[in-house]
Amino acid sequence: MFRLSRLATSATVVAAALTLLAPTAASAGEPTLSDPRTVAQFSRSAGQTPENIALEPDGSANVTLAFARQVVRVDEHGSTRLLSVLPAVPNPLTPVFRAAVVTGIVRAKDGTLYVNYATGTSETGIWRIGPHGGTPVQIAQLPTDSLPNGLALDEKLGVFYVADTARGLVWRVPLKGGTATIWAAGAALQPLSEIERFPAGANGIKVHNGAVWVSNTDRQTLLRIPVRRDGVAGTIETRATGLAGIDDFAFTGQDDTVLAALIAVNEVALVRPNGTHAIVLTSPDGLSSPTAVAVFEKQDDKEKTETTGKQGKQGKQGKQEKTVYVTSASYFSAVRDPNLLTARLENGQD
């Protein structure tokens, strides 16, 4: 009887916990997505696995193609133009991948693009690409055993933040380039040691509302790290849990509502400021191992970027017409379909 009662109590507790973590239905007045469509497709066999997005003021998408080492620009009609190719590296020793991969991307106000390149060699770090493309230039080096993944830019402070998926920490690098320093570290950012095949800690990263936000893929969490007045990292806060295979994410507007790519389950989740979430896009919509989300806003006939790839910006509120961009790398899907899709975002009461 004691064992049965104890098991029943445990089951009740577990059921209650699962209920709290389970996705809930979207509520009235919150952001909704509609009209998803694929605007560009890529070649998986050529290594064109879309990894991250940075948007142009006209709504064109700068996309990193991880294993092809390419950066391309996709216009509103779906036409793709090659901007740059990161240099080939003999015998790459990149943690996890064992291949050279280009990952996070951000766009500065002057149009300059910056990307993370992970090789397991001295080429690992941040690289700069001109507004119209061309030969990339390395501006900062990261340790060879790091896996720079998400990239965020705070132009006001003049710094980059880099999420290191292998080492489970956040690097800070001057905008002009130079020495990288560890900005935030701790168990909340680290991968889980019991996951041996593909350990993945800190992944996506954004600057938003006075803080650096980071996703942790293994721990299925969304974290917030306040930026103190002196630029030092504050205490890491867990803002959402139960986000299976969370990769990159983007904010829908000025509040803390997030759209997150869940790479392992072919879903995009709407994560509310209270930490609960609802699924808003799935594989029938075109998702195939989604890796990144970006939000573009057209407001009062003036186009601007609200959230781009791994970088966040806010603007004045007005009549809003927003578009969500999602990259899919098709790493784990039976049908290989790497692509870029868009959907219409209605921001509710934001």
Side-chain angles (χ1 to χ4, degrees):
M1 291 291 292
F2 175 78
R3 287 181 180 272
L4 181 59
S5 176
R6 186 173 180 179
L7 287 172
T9 301
S10 299
T12 301
V13 171
V14 170
L18 290 175
T19 299
L20 288 172
L21 293 175
T24 59
S27 303
E30 68 183 11
T32 58
L33 297 184
S34 63
D35 192 27
R37 63 187 184 93
T38 299
V39 296
Q41 293 180 299
F42 302 95
S43 172
R44 180 72 173 84
S45 61
Q48 292 183 327
T49 49
E51 176 64 22
N52 205 231
I53 317 165
L55 300 179
E56 291 290 318
D58 67 353
S60 297
N62 300 300
V63 178
T64 54
L65 302 178
F67 286 91
R69 312 188 322 277
Q70 297 175 345
V71 180
V72 299
R73 182 169 295 161
V74 182
D75 68 19
E76 60 180 337
H77 305 294
S79 297
T80 300
R81 179 169 71 90
L82 179 65
L83 293 178
S84 189
V85 180
L86 278 294
V89 174
N91 304 313
L93 299 171
T94 311
V96 180
F97 295 112
R98 297 298 169 186
V101 289
V102 57
T103 53
I105 183 171
V106 293
R107 179 187 185 276
K109 291 179 180 178
D110 66 0
T112 302
L113 300 175
Y114 299 89
V115 299
N116 282 335
Y117 190 34
T119 66
T121 69
S122 60
E123 283 79 11
T124 295
I126 300 175
W127 291 65
R128 183 181 64 234
I129 300 170
H132 304 293
T135 303
V137 177
Q138 187 173 15
I139 65 166
Q141 192 177 88
L142 290 168
T144 57
D145 63 348
S146 66
L147 177 52
N149 201 336
L151 179 63
L153 170 60
D154 186 332
E155 288 196 76
K156 183 177 180 180
L157 295 181
V159 295
F160 296 102
Y161 297 97
V162 181
D164 187 335
T165 297
R167 297 182 59 170
L169 49 82
V170 175
W171 298 94
R172 178 167 160 153
V173 179
L175 174 56
K176 63 182 180 181
T179 303
T181 57
I182 295 175
W183 183 74
L189 294 166
Q190 294 176 353
L192 293 174
S193 58
E194 59 265 28
I195 300 179
E196 298 180 357
R197 182 181 177 186
F198 189 87
N203 193 328
I205 192 166
K206 291 289 186 296
V207 176
H208 180 76
N209 286 348
V212 174
W213 296 64
V214 184
S215 61
N216 186 316
T217 304
D218 280 359
R219 297 179 187 271
Q220 305 182 11
T221 52
L222 180 63
L223 310 171
R224 179 182 183 273
I225 311 173
V227 180
R228 295 182 357 188
R229 289 185 178 181
D230 58 1
V232 173
T235 302
I236 300 174
E237 308 165 0
T238 299
R239 298 300 295 266
T241 61
L243 299 168
I246 184 172
D247 199 319
D248 184 36
F249 58 94
F251 291 90
T252 63
Q254 294 196 34
D255 74 356
D256 294 342
T257 303
V258 163
L259 288 169
L262 307 184
I263 187 172
V265 291
N266 293 330
E267 294 174 343
V268 168
L270 174 76
V271 185
R272 306 178 183 93
N274 66 5
T276 62
H277 69 277
I279 302 304
V280 291
L281 290 175
T282 62
S283 54
D285 296 313
L287 299 183
S288 180
S289 308
T291 52
V293 182
V295 178
F296 176 80
E297 178 181 348
K298 181 179 180 180
Q299 178 179 312
D300 294 336
D301 296 326
K302 292 182 180 180
E303 294 182 334
K304 68 189 180 90
T305 301
E306 181 73 24
T307 305
T308 62
K310 303 280 181 181
Q311 175 186 5
K313 291 176 64 179
Q314 287 88 38
K316 295 180 181 178
Q317 294 296 306
K319 294 181 180 179
Q320 297 176 341
E321 180 182 327
K322 295 184 179 181
T323 302
V324 173
Y325 296 68
V326 184
T327 47
S328 286
S330 204
Y331 289 132
F332 313 118
S333 304
V335 178
R336 302 298 189 185
D337 182 27
N339 66 69
L340 173 68
L341 69 78
T342 62
R344 183 179 302 168
L345 172 65
E346 295 183 6
N347 235 19
Q349 297 176 351
D350 180 52

